[in-house]
Amino acid sequence: MTEAAIQPRACSVARTLDIVGEKWALLAVREVSLGDRRFDEMARRTGAPRDTLAARLRTLTGAGILERRQYSERPARFEYHLTAAGRDLYPVILTLMRWGDMYLAGDDGPPLVLEHTCGHTLAAQVVCEACGEPVRARDTRPR
């Protein structure tokens, strides 16, 4: 097969990255997931430039990941809430966090530790919905 005949693999990863594949987008979703729903809080917690954060919030809202709700009329002020699609991104953020904790935390350990409602430290893991086994790259293949 010639190189010209090889097409990029069509997959949902590429489509998803078109929306959330920039660091400020996922950090905004992280903040809303952790309860920081207002623009100033998100800007402070993420360190994102205000114009960049505003653009990412517009993209996330337009994609149906966040919804904007007014909480004050004078002056008009808004906060952001996760939609069902946004809530479904939380495991992605947890998985990225776990990877970062494992490979990038250094001697000081993870900068943020989350506790599950059961009282234990949260350690995200992807498992097969059908059999409950942990998912590893060598155990998956395209159909």
Side-chain angles (χ1 to χ4, degrees):
M1 185 177 278
T2 67
E3 212 172 300
I6 298 173
Q7 297 294 315
R9 184 186 307 268
C11 79
S12 295
V13 173
R15 283 181 282 201
T16 303
L17 289 174
D18 284 342
I19 299 167
V20 298
E22 194 270 338
K23 102 176 187 177
W24 303 121
L26 279 179
L27 291 178
V29 173
R30 177 199 68 188
E31 286 310 306
V32 176
S33 298
L34 294 175
D36 291 323
R37 295 182 178 95
R38 297 183 179 172
F39 183 86
D40 288 339
E41 294 169 339
M42 284 189 269
R44 190 171 45 259
R45 296 281 189 172
T46 63
R50 294 177 75 80
D51 59 333
T52 301
L53 180 59
R56 295 310 167 270
L57 290 171
R58 281 191 300 275
T59 298
L60 293 166
T61 301
I65 292 167
L66 296 177
E67 71 177 12
R68 197 171 163 226
R69 296 184 194 162
Q70 188 169 358
Y71 68 89
S72 172
E73 286 189 30
R74 290 194 178 142
R77 300 256 188 235
F78 297 86
E79 59 185 14
Y80 295 86
H81 291 263
L82 296 169
T83 63
R87 287 188 297 276
D88 285 345
L89 269 175
Y90 194 57
V92 173
I93 291 169
L94 292 176
T95 304
L96 286 169
M97 184 175 157
R98 181 172 183 183
W99 187 90
D101 290 349
M102 288 176 68
Y103 297 104
L104 305 174
D107 294 336
D108 293 335
L112 174 66
V113 177
L114 299 176
E115 184 178 285
H116 190 262
T117 56
C118 69
H120 291 90
T121 300
L122 182 65
Q125 184 176 33
V126 177
V127 298
C128 174
E129 192 173 277
C131 70
E133 291 290 321
V135 175
R136 299 172 303 208
R138 67 178 176 251
D139 299 333
T140 63
R141 63 185 179 279
R143 252 204 243 183

Short mmCIF file of all heavy atoms in Angstrom, two decimals, residues 20-83:
data_model
loop_
_atom_site.label_atom_id
_atom_site.label_comp_id
_atom_site.label_asym_id
_atom_site.label_seq_id
_atom_site.Cartn_x
_atom_site.Cartn_y
_atom_site.Cartn_z
N VAL A 20 -11.74 19.22 23.38
CA VAL A 20 -11.11 19.29 24.70
C VAL A 20 -9.61 19.01 24.69
O VAL A 20 -9.02 18.82 25.75
CB VAL A 20 -11.80 18.35 25.72
CG1 VAL A 20 -13.24 18.72 25.93
CG2 VAL A 20 -11.64 16.90 25.31
N GLY A 21 -9.00 19.02 23.53
CA GLY A 21 -7.61 18.63 23.42
C GLY A 21 -6.60 19.72 23.76
O GLY A 21 -5.41 19.54 23.53
N GLU A 22 -7.04 20.79 24.31
CA GLU A 22 -6.15 21.89 24.70
C GLU A 22 -6.21 21.99 26.21
O GLU A 22 -7.28 21.85 26.81
CB GLU A 22 -6.65 23.18 24.02
CG GLU A 22 -5.68 24.32 24.03
CD GLU A 22 -5.86 25.19 25.26
OE1 GLU A 22 -6.93 25.17 25.87
OE2 GLU A 22 -4.90 25.86 25.62
N LYS A 23 -5.08 22.23 26.86
CA LYS A 23 -5.02 22.10 28.31
C LYS A 23 -6.03 22.95 29.06
O LYS A 23 -6.61 22.52 30.05
CB LYS A 23 -3.59 22.33 28.80
CG LYS A 23 -3.26 23.63 29.40
CD LYS A 23 -1.82 23.63 29.90
CE LYS A 23 -1.51 24.87 30.66
NZ LYS A 23 -0.18 24.88 31.21
N TRP A 24 -6.28 24.17 28.60
CA TRP A 24 -7.19 25.05 29.33
C TRP A 24 -8.62 24.52 29.30
O TRP A 24 -9.39 24.75 30.23
CB TRP A 24 -7.12 26.47 28.81
CG TRP A 24 -5.74 27.04 28.87
CD1 TRP A 24 -5.01 27.51 27.81
CD2 TRP A 24 -4.89 27.20 30.02
NE1 TRP A 24 -3.77 27.95 28.25
CE2 TRP A 24 -3.68 27.76 29.60
CE3 TRP A 24 -5.05 26.91 31.37
CZ2 TRP A 24 -2.63 28.05 30.47
CZ3 TRP A 24 -4.01 27.19 32.24
CH2 TRP A 24 -2.82 27.75 31.79
N ALA A 25 -8.98 23.81 28.26
CA ALA A 25 -10.33 23.25 28.17
C ALA A 25 -10.54 22.19 29.25
O ALA A 25 -11.51 22.22 30.00
CB ALA A 25 -10.58 22.66 26.78
N LEU A 26 -9.62 21.23 29.34
CA LEU A 26 -9.76 20.19 30.36
C LEU A 26 -9.61 20.75 31.77
O LEU A 26 -10.27 20.28 32.70
CB LEU A 26 -8.76 19.06 30.12
CG LEU A 26 -9.16 18.04 29.07
CD1 LEU A 26 -8.08 16.99 28.90
CD2 LEU A 26 -10.49 17.38 29.41
N LEU A 27 -8.76 21.75 31.94
CA LEU A 27 -8.64 22.34 33.27
C LEU A 27 -9.91 23.08 33.67
O LEU A 27 -10.29 23.08 34.84
CB LEU A 27 -7.42 23.26 33.35
CG LEU A 27 -6.07 22.52 33.29
CD1 LEU A 27 -4.92 23.52 33.33
CD2 LEU A 27 -5.94 21.51 34.41
N ALA A 28 -10.59 23.68 32.72
CA ALA A 28 -11.88 24.33 33.02
C ALA A 28 -12.90 23.27 33.43
O ALA A 28 -13.63 23.46 34.41
CB ALA A 28 -12.38 25.11 31.80
N VAL A 29 -12.94 22.15 32.73
CA VAL A 29 -13.86 21.07 33.10
C VAL A 29 -13.49 20.53 34.48
O VAL A 29 -14.36 20.26 35.31
CB VAL A 29 -13.87 19.95 32.04
CG1 VAL A 29 -14.70 18.75 32.51
CG2 VAL A 29 -14.40 20.48 30.71
N ARG A 30 -12.19 20.40 34.76
CA ARG A 30 -11.75 19.95 36.09
C ARG A 30 -12.29 20.87 37.17
O ARG A 30 -12.84 20.43 38.17
CB ARG A 30 -10.22 19.92 36.15
CG ARG A 30 -9.68 19.54 37.54
CD ARG A 30 -8.24 19.94 37.74
NE ARG A 30 -8.09 21.40 37.79
CZ ARG A 30 -6.91 22.02 37.79
NH1 ARG A 30 -5.79 21.33 37.73
NH2 ARG A 30 -6.85 23.33 37.84
N GLU A 31 -12.15 22.17 36.96
CA GLU A 31 -12.59 23.13 37.97
C GLU A 31 -14.08 23.07 38.21
O GLU A 31 -14.53 23.10 39.35
CB GLU A 31 -12.14 24.54 37.61
CG GLU A 31 -10.67 24.76 37.81
CD GLU A 31 -10.18 24.31 39.18
OE1 GLU A 31 -10.74 24.75 40.20
OE2 GLU A 31 -9.24 23.49 39.24
N VAL A 32 -14.86 23.01 37.14
CA VAL A 32 -16.31 22.92 37.32
C VAL A 32 -16.66 21.61 38.03
O VAL A 32 -17.51 21.59 38.91
CB VAL A 32 -17.05 23.06 35.97
CG1 VAL A 32 -18.55 22.87 36.14
CG2 VAL A 32 -16.77 24.43 35.34
N SER A 33 -15.95 20.53 37.70
CA SER A 33 -16.18 19.24 38.36
C SER A 33 -15.90 19.32 39.86
O SER A 33 -16.56 18.66 40.65
CB SER A 33 -15.29 18.16 37.75
OG SER A 33 -15.58 17.96 36.40
N LEU A 34 -14.92 20.13 40.24
CA LEU A 34 -14.54 20.27 41.65
C LEU A 34 -15.33 21.37 42.35
O LEU A 34 -15.09 21.64 43.53
CB LEU A 34 -13.03 20.52 41.76
CG LEU A 34 -12.15 19.36 41.31
CD1 LEU A 34 -10.67 19.76 41.34
CD2 LEU A 34 -12.39 18.12 42.17
N GLY A 35 -16.26 22.01 41.64
CA GLY A 35 -17.14 22.98 42.28
C GLY A 35 -16.82 24.44 42.04
O GLY A 35 -17.54 25.31 42.54
N ASP A 36 -15.76 24.75 41.33
CA ASP A 36 -15.43 26.14 41.00
C ASP A 36 -16.12 26.49 39.68
O ASP A 36 -15.61 26.20 38.61
CB ASP A 36 -13.91 26.34 40.89
CG ASP A 36 -13.22 26.20 42.23
OD1 ASP A 36 -13.81 26.64 43.24
OD2 ASP A 36 -12.11 25.67 42.27
N ARG A 37 -17.28 27.13 39.77
CA ARG A 37 -18.12 27.33 38.60
C ARG A 37 -18.07 28.74 38.02
O ARG A 37 -18.61 28.98 36.95
CB ARG A 37 -19.57 27.00 38.96
CG ARG A 37 -19.76 25.55 39.30
CD ARG A 37 -21.20 25.23 39.62
NE ARG A 37 -21.32 23.82 39.89
CZ ARG A 37 -21.28 23.29 41.10
NH1 ARG A 37 -21.14 24.06 42.16
NH2 ARG A 37 -21.40 22.00 41.26
N ARG A 38 -17.45 29.65 38.72
CA ARG A 38 -17.45 31.04 38.27
C ARG A 38 -16.13 31.37 37.59
O ARG A 38 -15.07 30.84 37.92
CB ARG A 38 -17.72 31.97 39.44
CG ARG A 38 -19.11 31.70 39.99
CD ARG A 38 -19.50 32.60 41.10
NE ARG A 38 -20.87 32.26 41.51
CZ ARG A 38 -21.45 32.77 42.56
NH1 ARG A 38 -20.81 33.66 43.32
NH2 ARG A 38 -22.68 32.41 42.87
N PHE A 39 -16.23 32.27 36.61
CA PHE A 39 -15.09 32.59 35.76
C PHE A 39 -13.85 32.97 36.57
O PHE A 39 -12.75 32.45 36.32
CB PHE A 39 -15.47 33.71 34.79
CG PHE A 39 -14.38 34.04 33.82
CD1 PHE A 39 -14.26 33.33 32.64
CD2 PHE A 39 -13.47 35.05 34.09
CE1 PHE A 39 -13.25 33.62 31.73
CE2 PHE A 39 -12.45 35.34 33.19
CZ PHE A 39 -12.34 34.63 32.02
N ASP A 40 -13.99 33.89 37.52
CA ASP A 40 -12.83 34.34 38.29
C ASP A 40 -12.18 33.21 39.06
O ASP A 40 -10.95 33.13 39.15
CB ASP A 40 -13.22 35.49 39.24
CG ASP A 40 -13.48 36.79 38.50
OD1 ASP A 40 -12.99 36.94 37.35
OD2 ASP A 40 -14.16 37.66 39.07
N GLU A 41 -12.99 32.31 39.63
CA GLU A 41 -12.46 31.16 40.35
C GLU A 41 -11.67 30.26 39.40
O GLU A 41 -10.57 29.80 39.73
CB GLU A 41 -13.59 30.34 40.97
CG GLU A 41 -14.35 31.03 42.07
CD GLU A 41 -15.61 30.27 42.46
OE1 GLU A 41 -16.12 29.45 41.65
OE2 GLU A 41 -16.10 30.50 43.57
N MET A 42 -12.25 30.02 38.22
CA MET A 42 -11.58 29.16 37.25
C MET A 42 -10.28 29.78 36.77
O MET A 42 -9.27 29.09 36.64
CB MET A 42 -12.49 28.86 36.06
CG MET A 42 -13.55 27.85 36.37
SD MET A 42 -14.43 27.34 34.90
CE MET A 42 -15.76 28.51 34.92
N ALA A 43 -10.29 31.08 36.51
CA ALA A 43 -9.07 31.75 36.06
C ALA A 43 -7.98 31.64 37.12
O ALA A 43 -6.82 31.36 36.81
CB ALA A 43 -9.37 33.22 35.73
N ARG A 44 -8.36 31.83 38.37
CA ARG A 44 -7.39 31.77 39.46
C ARG A 44 -6.86 30.35 39.64
O ARG A 44 -5.66 30.14 39.78
CB ARG A 44 -8.05 32.28 40.74
CG ARG A 44 -7.12 32.50 41.89
CD ARG A 44 -7.75 33.23 43.09
NE ARG A 44 -9.06 32.75 43.51
CZ ARG A 44 -10.22 33.36 43.20
NH1 ARG A 44 -10.23 34.47 42.48
NH2 ARG A 44 -11.37 32.86 43.62
N ARG A 45 -7.74 29.36 39.63
CA ARG A 45 -7.34 27.96 39.88
C ARG A 45 -6.58 27.32 38.73
O ARG A 45 -5.78 26.42 38.94
CB ARG A 45 -8.56 27.12 40.20
CG ARG A 45 -9.28 27.51 41.45
CD ARG A 45 -8.59 26.98 42.65
NE ARG A 45 -9.42 27.19 43.82
CZ ARG A 45 -9.15 26.71 44.98
NH1 ARG A 45 -8.07 25.97 45.16
NH2 ARG A 45 -9.93 26.94 46.01
N THR A 46 -6.85 27.79 37.50
CA THR A 46 -6.16 27.19 36.34
C THR A 46 -4.92 27.95 35.94
O THR A 46 -4.01 27.39 35.34
CB THR A 46 -7.09 27.13 35.11
OG1 THR A 46 -7.44 28.46 34.72
CG2 THR A 46 -8.33 26.30 35.38
N GLY A 47 -4.89 29.26 36.22
CA GLY A 47 -3.80 30.10 35.75
C GLY A 47 -3.94 30.47 34.28
O GLY A 47 -3.02 31.01 33.68
N ALA A 48 -5.08 30.19 33.69
CA ALA A 48 -5.30 30.46 32.27
C ALA A 48 -5.42 31.97 32.03
O ALA A 48 -6.03 32.67 32.84
CB ALA A 48 -6.57 29.78 31.79
N PRO A 49 -4.87 32.45 30.93
CA PRO A 49 -5.14 33.84 30.54
C PRO A 49 -6.65 34.02 30.37
O PRO A 49 -7.34 33.14 29.84
CB PRO A 49 -4.41 33.99 29.20
CG PRO A 49 -3.38 32.90 29.20
CD PRO A 49 -3.99 31.77 29.99
N ARG A 50 -7.17 35.15 30.82
CA ARG A 50 -8.62 35.37 30.84
C ARG A 50 -9.25 35.25 29.45
O ARG A 50 -10.31 34.63 29.31
CB ARG A 50 -8.92 36.73 31.48
CG ARG A 50 -8.53 36.75 32.95
CD ARG A 50 -8.74 38.12 33.58
NE ARG A 50 -10.14 38.39 33.84
CZ ARG A 50 -10.84 37.94 34.85
NH1 ARG A 50 -10.27 37.16 35.75
NH2 ARG A 50 -12.11 38.27 35.00
N ASP A 51 -8.61 35.80 28.43
CA ASP A 51 -9.18 35.71 27.08
C ASP A 51 -9.19 34.27 26.58
O ASP A 51 -10.13 33.83 25.91
CB ASP A 51 -8.49 36.66 26.11
CG ASP A 51 -7.00 36.39 25.97
OD1 ASP A 51 -6.38 35.86 26.92
OD2 ASP A 51 -6.44 36.72 24.91
N THR A 52 -8.16 33.52 26.91
CA THR A 52 -8.08 32.11 26.51
C THR A 52 -9.15 31.30 27.22
O THR A 52 -9.86 30.49 26.61
CB THR A 52 -6.68 31.53 26.81
OG1 THR A 52 -5.71 32.31 26.11
CG2 THR A 52 -6.58 30.08 26.40
N LEU A 53 -9.29 31.53 28.53
CA LEU A 53 -10.31 30.81 29.29
C LEU A 53 -11.71 31.13 28.76
O LEU A 53 -12.53 30.22 28.59
CB LEU A 53 -10.21 31.15 30.78
CG LEU A 53 -11.23 30.46 31.69
CD1 LEU A 53 -11.11 28.94 31.59
CD2 LEU A 53 -11.05 30.94 33.12
N ALA A 54 -11.96 32.39 28.46
CA ALA A 54 -13.28 32.77 27.93
C ALA A 54 -13.55 32.04 26.61
O ALA A 54 -14.67 31.54 26.39
CB ALA A 54 -13.35 34.28 27.73
N ALA A 55 -12.55 31.95 25.76
CA ALA A 55 -12.72 31.24 24.48
C ALA A 55 -12.98 29.76 24.70
O ALA A 55 -13.85 29.17 24.04
CB ALA A 55 -11.48 31.44 23.60
N ARG A 56 -12.26 29.13 25.64
CA ARG A 56 -12.47 27.71 25.91
C ARG A 56 -13.86 27.46 26.49
O ARG A 56 -14.53 26.49 26.16
CB ARG A 56 -11.42 27.15 26.86
CG ARG A 56 -10.00 27.13 26.33
CD ARG A 56 -9.87 26.51 24.95
NE ARG A 56 -8.58 26.80 24.38
CZ ARG A 56 -8.30 27.86 23.63
NH1 ARG A 56 -9.23 28.76 23.33
NH2 ARG A 56 -7.08 28.04 23.15
N LEU A 57 -14.31 28.35 27.37
CA LEU A 57 -15.64 28.20 27.94
C LEU A 57 -16.72 28.32 26.86
O LEU A 57 -17.71 27.59 26.89
CB LEU A 57 -15.86 29.21 29.06
CG LEU A 57 -15.04 28.96 30.33
CD1 LEU A 57 -15.15 30.14 31.28
CD2 LEU A 57 -15.44 27.66 31.01
N ARG A 58 -16.51 29.21 25.89
CA ARG A 58 -17.46 29.31 24.77
C ARG A 58 -17.49 28.02 23.97
O ARG A 58 -18.55 27.52 23.59
CB ARG A 58 -17.11 30.50 23.87
CG ARG A 58 -17.56 31.84 24.40
CD ARG A 58 -17.44 32.94 23.38
NE ARG A 58 -16.08 33.15 22.90
CZ ARG A 58 -15.17 33.92 23.51
NH1 ARG A 58 -15.47 34.58 24.61
NH2 ARG A 58 -13.96 34.06 22.99
N THR A 59 -16.32 27.45 23.71
CA THR A 59 -16.23 26.19 22.97
C THR A 59 -16.92 25.07 23.74
O THR A 59 -17.70 24.30 23.16
CB THR A 59 -14.76 25.82 22.70
OG1 THR A 59 -14.16 26.84 21.90
CG2 THR A 59 -14.64 24.48 21.99
N LEU A 60 -16.64 24.96 25.02
CA LEU A 60 -17.22 23.89 25.84
C LEU A 60 -18.74 24.04 25.96
O LEU A 60 -19.47 23.06 25.95
CB LEU A 60 -16.57 23.87 27.22
CG LEU A 60 -15.09 23.47 27.25
CD1 LEU A 60 -14.47 23.80 28.59
CD2 LEU A 60 -14.92 22.00 26.90
N THR A 61 -19.20 25.28 26.04
CA THR A 61 -20.63 25.53 26.10
C THR A 61 -21.27 25.20 24.75
O THR A 61 -22.31 24.52 24.69
CB THR A 61 -20.91 26.99 26.50
OG1 THR A 61 -20.31 27.23 27.78
CG2 THR A 61 -22.39 27.28 26.59
N GLY A 62 -20.64 25.64 23.68
CA GLY A 62 -21.16 25.35 22.34
C GLY A 62 -21.19 23.86 22.02
O GLY A 62 -22.05 23.40 21.27
N ALA A 63 -20.26 23.10 22.61
CA ALA A 63 -20.21 21.66 22.36
C ALA A 63 -21.14 20.88 23.29
O ALA A 63 -21.23 19.66 23.19
CB ALA A 63 -18.77 21.17 22.55
N GLY A 64 -21.82 21.58 24.19
CA GLY A 64 -22.75 20.90 25.09
C GLY A 64 -22.10 20.22 26.27
O GLY A 64 -22.70 19.34 26.89
N ILE A 65 -20.89 20.61 26.62
CA ILE A 65 -20.17 20.03 27.76
C ILE A 65 -20.47 20.83 29.03
O ILE A 65 -20.59 20.26 30.11
CB ILE A 65 -18.66 19.98 27.45
CG1 ILE A 65 -18.43 18.96 26.33
CG2 ILE A 65 -17.85 19.63 28.70
CD1 ILE A 65 -17.07 19.02 25.71
N LEU A 66 -20.58 22.13 28.87
CA LEU A 66 -20.95 23.01 29.97
C LEU A 66 -22.20 23.77 29.59
O LEU A 66 -22.49 23.96 28.41
CB LEU A 66 -19.84 24.03 30.25
CG LEU A 66 -18.48 23.52 30.71
CD1 LEU A 66 -17.51 24.69 30.85
CD2 LEU A 66 -18.60 22.76 32.01
N GLU A 67 -22.94 24.21 30.61
CA GLU A 67 -24.03 25.14 30.37
C GLU A 67 -23.81 26.35 31.26
O GLU A 67 -23.28 26.24 32.37
CB GLU A 67 -25.40 24.50 30.58
CG GLU A 67 -25.76 24.21 32.00
CD GLU A 67 -27.17 23.65 32.12
OE1 GLU A 67 -27.79 23.28 31.11
OE2 GLU A 67 -27.64 23.57 33.27
N ARG A 68 -24.18 27.49 30.72
CA ARG A 68 -24.00 28.76 31.39
C ARG A 68 -25.32 29.15 32.05
O ARG A 68 -26.35 29.17 31.41
CB ARG A 68 -23.60 29.79 30.32
CG ARG A 68 -22.99 31.01 30.82
CD ARG A 68 -22.46 31.78 29.59
NE ARG A 68 -22.23 33.14 30.00
CZ ARG A 68 -22.58 34.21 29.34
NH1 ARG A 68 -23.18 34.08 28.18
NH2 ARG A 68 -22.34 35.39 29.80
N ARG A 69 -25.25 29.45 33.36
CA ARG A 69 -26.45 29.84 34.10
C ARG A 69 -26.22 31.18 34.78
O ARG A 69 -25.20 31.38 35.45
CB ARG A 69 -26.79 28.81 35.17
CG ARG A 69 -27.15 27.46 34.65
CD ARG A 69 -27.55 26.55 35.79
NE ARG A 69 -27.60 25.17 35.36
CZ ARG A 69 -27.59 24.15 36.20
NH1 ARG A 69 -27.55 24.35 37.50
NH2 ARG A 69 -27.64 22.92 35.74
N GLN A 70 -27.19 32.05 34.65
CA GLN A 70 -27.09 33.37 35.27
C GLN A 70 -27.40 33.24 36.76
O GLN A 70 -28.38 32.60 37.15
CB GLN A 70 -28.07 34.35 34.62
CG GLN A 70 -27.88 35.77 35.09
CD GLN A 70 -28.67 36.76 34.24
OE1 GLN A 70 -29.33 36.41 33.28
NE2 GLN A 70 -28.59 38.02 34.62
N TYR A 71 -26.55 33.86 37.60
CA TYR A 71 -26.79 33.84 39.03
C TYR A 71 -26.99 35.24 39.60
O TYR A 71 -27.35 35.40 40.76
CB TYR A 71 -25.68 33.10 39.79
CG TYR A 71 -24.34 33.79 39.79
CD1 TYR A 71 -24.00 34.72 40.78
CD2 TYR A 71 -23.39 33.49 38.83
CE1 TYR A 71 -22.77 35.33 40.80
CE2 TYR A 71 -22.15 34.10 38.84
CZ TYR A 71 -21.85 35.02 39.82
OH TYR A 71 -20.62 35.63 39.84
N SER A 72 -26.78 36.27 38.79
CA SER A 72 -26.98 37.65 39.24
C SER A 72 -27.45 38.48 38.05
O SER A 72 -26.95 38.32 36.94
CB SER A 72 -25.67 38.22 39.80
OG SER A 72 -25.78 39.59 40.07
N GLU A 73 -28.43 39.37 38.30
CA GLU A 73 -28.94 40.21 37.22
C GLU A 73 -28.20 41.53 37.11
O GLU A 73 -27.96 42.01 36.02
CB GLU A 73 -30.44 40.46 37.43
CG GLU A 73 -31.27 39.25 37.10
CD GLU A 73 -32.75 39.55 37.09
OE1 GLU A 73 -33.14 40.69 36.79
OE2 GLU A 73 -33.52 38.62 37.39
N ARG A 74 -27.87 42.14 38.24
CA ARG A 74 -27.19 43.44 38.23
C ARG A 74 -25.96 43.39 39.09
O ARG A 74 -26.09 43.41 40.32
CB ARG A 74 -28.14 44.53 38.73
CG ARG A 74 -29.24 44.78 37.75
CD ARG A 74 -29.95 46.05 38.07
NE ARG A 74 -30.97 46.27 37.04
CZ ARG A 74 -32.14 46.77 37.29
NH1 ARG A 74 -32.46 47.14 38.50
NH2 ARG A 74 -33.00 46.93 36.32
N PRO A 75 -24.82 43.30 38.53
CA PRO A 75 -24.56 43.12 37.10
C PRO A 75 -24.85 41.67 36.68
O PRO A 75 -24.88 40.78 37.52
CB PRO A 75 -23.08 43.44 36.96
CG PRO A 75 -22.48 43.08 38.28
CD PRO A 75 -23.56 43.36 39.31
N ALA A 76 -25.01 41.48 35.39
CA ALA A 76 -25.25 40.13 34.87
C ALA A 76 -24.01 39.28 35.11
O ALA A 76 -22.92 39.63 34.67
CB ALA A 76 -25.60 40.18 33.39
N ARG A 77 -24.18 38.22 35.85
CA ARG A 77 -23.08 37.30 36.15
C ARG A 77 -23.55 35.87 35.89
O ARG A 77 -24.71 35.53 36.13
CB ARG A 77 -22.66 37.43 37.61
CG ARG A 77 -22.19 38.80 38.00
CD ARG A 77 -20.69 38.79 38.09
NE ARG A 77 -20.26 40.05 38.65
CZ ARG A 77 -19.40 40.84 38.07
NH1 ARG A 77 -18.85 40.48 36.94
NH2 ARG A 77 -19.03 41.97 38.62
N PHE A 78 -22.60 35.06 35.43
CA PHE A 78 -22.93 33.69 35.05
C PHE A 78 -21.97 32.72 35.72
O PHE A 78 -20.85 33.08 36.06
CB PHE A 78 -22.85 33.53 33.53
CG PHE A 78 -23.83 34.38 32.79
CD1 PHE A 78 -23.53 35.69 32.46
CD2 PHE A 78 -25.08 33.88 32.45
CE1 PHE A 78 -24.44 36.49 31.79
CE2 PHE A 78 -26.00 34.67 31.78
CZ PHE A 78 -25.68 35.98 31.46
N GLU A 79 -22.43 31.50 35.88
CA GLU A 79 -21.56 30.42 36.31
C GLU A 79 -21.79 29.24 35.37
O GLU A 79 -22.75 29.24 34.60
CB GLU A 79 -21.80 30.04 37.77
CG GLU A 79 -23.19 29.59 38.10
CD GLU A 79 -23.39 29.35 39.58
OE1 GLU A 79 -22.56 29.77 40.41
OE2 GLU A 79 -24.42 28.73 39.92
N TYR A 80 -20.89 28.29 35.43
CA TYR A 80 -20.91 27.17 34.51
C TYR A 80 -21.22 25.88 35.26
O TYR A 80 -20.75 25.68 36.37
CB TYR A 80 -19.56 27.05 33.78
CG TYR A 80 -19.31 28.25 32.91
CD1 TYR A 80 -18.73 29.40 33.42
CD2 TYR A 80 -19.72 28.25 31.58
CE1 TYR A 80 -18.53 30.52 32.62
CE2 TYR A 80 -19.53 29.37 30.78
CZ TYR A 80 -18.94 30.50 31.31
OH TYR A 80 -18.76 31.60 30.53
N HIS A 81 -22.02 25.05 34.63
CA HIS A 81 -22.40 23.76 35.19
C HIS A 81 -22.15 22.67 34.16
O HIS A 81 -22.30 22.91 32.95
CB HIS A 81 -23.88 23.76 35.60
CG HIS A 81 -24.16 24.64 36.75
ND1 HIS A 81 -24.24 24.18 38.03
CD2 HIS A 81 -24.34 25.99 36.81
CE1 HIS A 81 -24.49 25.20 38.84
NE2 HIS A 81 -24.54 26.31 38.13
N LEU A 82 -21.78 21.49 34.63
CA LEU A 82 -21.58 20.35 33.74
C LEU A 82 -22.91 19.84 33.22
O LEU A 82 -23.88 19.74 33.98
CB LEU A 82 -20.86 19.21 34.47
CG LEU A 82 -19.45 19.48 34.97
CD1 LEU A 82 -19.01 18.36 35.89
CD2 LEU A 82 -18.50 19.65 33.81
N THR A 83 -22.94 19.52 31.96
CA THR A 83 -24.07 18.80 31.38
C THR A 83 -23.78 17.31 31.57
O THR A 83 -22.73 16.93 32.12
CB THR A 83 -24.20 19.11 29.88
OG1 THR A 83 -23.01 18.62 29.23
CG2 THR A 83 -24.38 20.60 29.62
#
